[in-house]
Amino acid sequence: MTDQKPLPTKILAQAFAPVRALFVGDASAGILLILVAAAAMVAANSALAETYHGLFHDSLAWTPIPKLDTLHLWINDGLMAIFFFVVGLEVKREWIEGQLSSAEQRRLPVMAAVAGMIVPAAIYYAFITGEGADELVRGWAIPAATDIAFAMGVLGLLGNRVPASLRLFLLTVAIVDDIGAVLVIAFFYTANLKVMWLVAAAVTVAVMYGLNRAKVSAYWPYILLALVLWYFVLNSGVHATIAGVMAALTIPMRGKDNDTMLEHLEHGLAPWSAYLVVPVFGFANAGVAFAGLGMEALLDPLPLAIAAGLFLGKQLGIFGIVFAADKLGIANRPENASWPEIWGVSILCGIGFTMSLFVSGLAFTGNDLLIEEAKIGILLGSLISSVVGYTILRMTSTHPEEDRLPR
């Protein structure tokens, strides 16, 4: 019996499987963000720099809302409300019917997410010293957020090498992390509150909740009221994007004839959020201008604190709490996952991009130098976390039976 030679098409399929993995499944949105971030940095440090910055920060010739007089503000305060709306839909679905629907399911990811926010913030504080420390303290929440698209994108590059339980763990931790980030923005990064606008926003939420209770299944009343809510919140002193989360929580899980109303809306908007809203936000915010910033800028307190918070804080907080919970019998570690693999995924949680950039803009509004330094810290910490996390997972895979190339 002669050995069969692999068909040329199969050889080609195997050869290009890693390339194909970049653009399908979990990896695609993360890879797009990486490309967008790179494009923004190239634009900000090339002959296009003036055009790039002018596009987003020059005053618009006309705007229907005077408060939003630049394209950058429309993106960060307006377009990003769609991102937060999708986050709110995802959180509600997971909390009611998904991986956070029972106390037992919530225990480990909630503990990991909380520790993964507290420890990075503590490390950030430890690195903030010297002149200007009082102002830098406002950025404590920058390294506390995990970017779902980036982290899942890097994990997706590993294919089936990583057990499904760890993918689920990373996703649920990132979802709880988003809840924490939204609360942090709402309570710690607000301007002077304007009571009448807040009352109007509260009444709008009450009306939307009333529609939910009345089992109204048409989408348009919720969408129109969500726009009204966004306008009220924009003028209230609370950041406008919080309106997206508030509106999402009023969307019914079930519509007419027990239709999965919330899931349909989430599935319809999620691709737009992942492949349009977040990349546009990334391109508008990731452009770090290195002119005038030497290598010593990497060692300035702010970028160093953010990078250390993301890379060291996330892995110490998440891995530490998972290890302690497992050994103390509080919660079991993810099924079929080794400790080195859990460590690798904990490091990947240090990839902060969308939410970290967003918080840095709120923390240092009006101080372009600090915002640029914050971007350096975010990109540096995220890069180190992605490379080290990927390498550890690649080297410590103990699931050869799952390591099969796509057919």
Side-chain angles (χ1 to χ4, degrees):
M1 181 177 178
T2 59
D3 294 334
Q4 287 185 335
K5 292 183 179 180
L7 296 173
T9 53
K10 187 173 183 180
I11 294 175
L12 287 173
Q14 292 177 344
F16 284 97
V19 178
R20 189 168 67 249
L22 296 178
F23 302 101
V24 297
D26 294 334
S28 54
I31 296 301
L32 177 59
L33 277 181
I34 293 172
L35 296 175
V36 163
M41 285 188 284
V42 169
N45 294 277
S46 68
L48 297 172
E50 187 176 348
T51 302
Y52 170 79
H53 291 292
L55 173 65
F56 295 113
H57 297 284
D58 286 353
S59 296
L60 297 171
W62 178 83
T63 175
I65 301 176
K67 190 172 183 177
L68 304 181
D69 60 352
T70 67
L71 184 58
H72 187 263
L73 287 174
W74 271 104
I75 292 170
N76 285 27
D77 289 18
L79 195 62
M80 281 297 285
I82 298 174
F83 166 78
F84 279 87
F85 183 73
V86 174
V87 168
L89 293 174
E90 183 178 30
V91 167
K92 180 173 180 177
R93 175 179 53 77
E94 292 290 347
W95 196 269
I96 294 177
E97 295 184 348
Q99 298 302 321
L100 300 173
S101 59
S102 70
E104 184 177 357
Q105 289 175 305
R106 294 178 197 136
R107 188 177 301 128
L108 187 62
V110 168
M111 291 172 61
V114 171
M117 296 184 76
I118 292 175
V119 178
I123 288 180
Y124 178 92
Y125 270 114
F127 277 82
I128 296 301
T129 57
E131 187 178 352
D134 290 345
E135 185 176 10
L136 297 183
V137 164
R138 280 188 53 81
W140 65 270
I142 295 172
T146 296
D147 192 285
I148 295 178
F150 254 129
M152 292 300 291
V154 174
L155 205 61
L157 296 178
L158 292 161
N160 293 326
R161 297 177 69 93
V162 179
S165 62
L166 270 184
R167 293 172 180 271
L168 182 59
F169 174 74
L170 174 59
L171 183 61
T172 51
V173 167
I175 290 171
V176 178
D177 191 292
D178 277 346
I179 298 174
V182 168
L183 293 175
V184 165
I185 292 170
F187 288 104
F188 294 97
Y189 295 105
T190 58
N192 296 324
L193 298 180
K194 298 176 182 177
V195 177
M196 292 307 297
W197 288 106
L198 281 176
V199 171
V203 170
T204 306
V205 172
V207 172
M208 296 180 74
Y209 178 72
L211 293 176
N212 181 321
R213 298 295 295 174
K215 301 186 184 305
V216 173
S217 59
Y219 290 107
W220 66 266
Y222 296 98
I223 293 173
L224 288 178
L225 287 170
L227 292 172
V228 172
L229 176 62
W230 171 80
Y231 183 75
F232 289 158
V233 175
L234 174 68
N235 289 282
S236 71
V238 177
H239 199 272
T241 51
I242 299 300
V245 178
M246 296 166 63
L249 298 181
T250 68
I251 302 299
M253 287 293 296
R254 295 286 181 269
K256 188 176 181 181
D257 300 324
N258 205 34
D259 184 33
T260 54
M261 185 173 176
L262 184 143
E263 285 191 30
H264 283 173
L265 193 56
E266 181 188 356
H267 292 164
L269 288 175
W272 291 97
S273 175
Y275 296 103
L276 177 63
V277 174
V278 174
V280 168
F281 169 83
F283 186 71
N285 288 272
V288 181
F290 293 107
L293 294 175
M295 288 299 295
E296 65 275 7
L298 296 177
L299 300 179
D300 283 348
L302 181 57
L304 196 60
I306 293 172
L310 286 170
F311 178 63
L312 297 177
K314 281 292 185 179
Q315 60 174 300
L316 288 175
I318 295 174
F319 182 81
I321 202 69
V322 173
F323 185 83
D326 183 77
K327 296 304 179 184
L328 295 174
I330 300 173
N332 295 325
R333 68 185 184 185
E335 185 180 6
N336 199 33
S338 67
W339 287 116
E341 289 173 326
I342 295 173
W343 179 38
V345 166
S346 300
I347 294 174
L348 287 187
C349 288
I351 301 174
F353 185 77
T354 306
M355 201 69 80
S356 293
L357 287 174
F358 192 81
V359 172
S360 67
L362 298 179
F364 305 123
T365 301
N367 192 324
D368 293 339
L369 177 60
L370 290 184
I371 291 176
E372 293 297 293
E373 287 193 348
K375 291 177 183 178
I376 293 173
I378 293 166
L379 295 171
L380 181 62
S382 299
L383 178 62
I384 296 173
S385 296
S386 59
V387 171
V388 175
Y390 176 88
T391 302
I392 289 174
L393 287 168
R394 186 77 184 180
M395 294 173 60
T396 61
S397 173
T398 57
H399 308 274
E401 72 282 359
E402 296 183 19
D403 186 20
R404 295 187 295 271
L405 290 169
R407 296 181 181 179

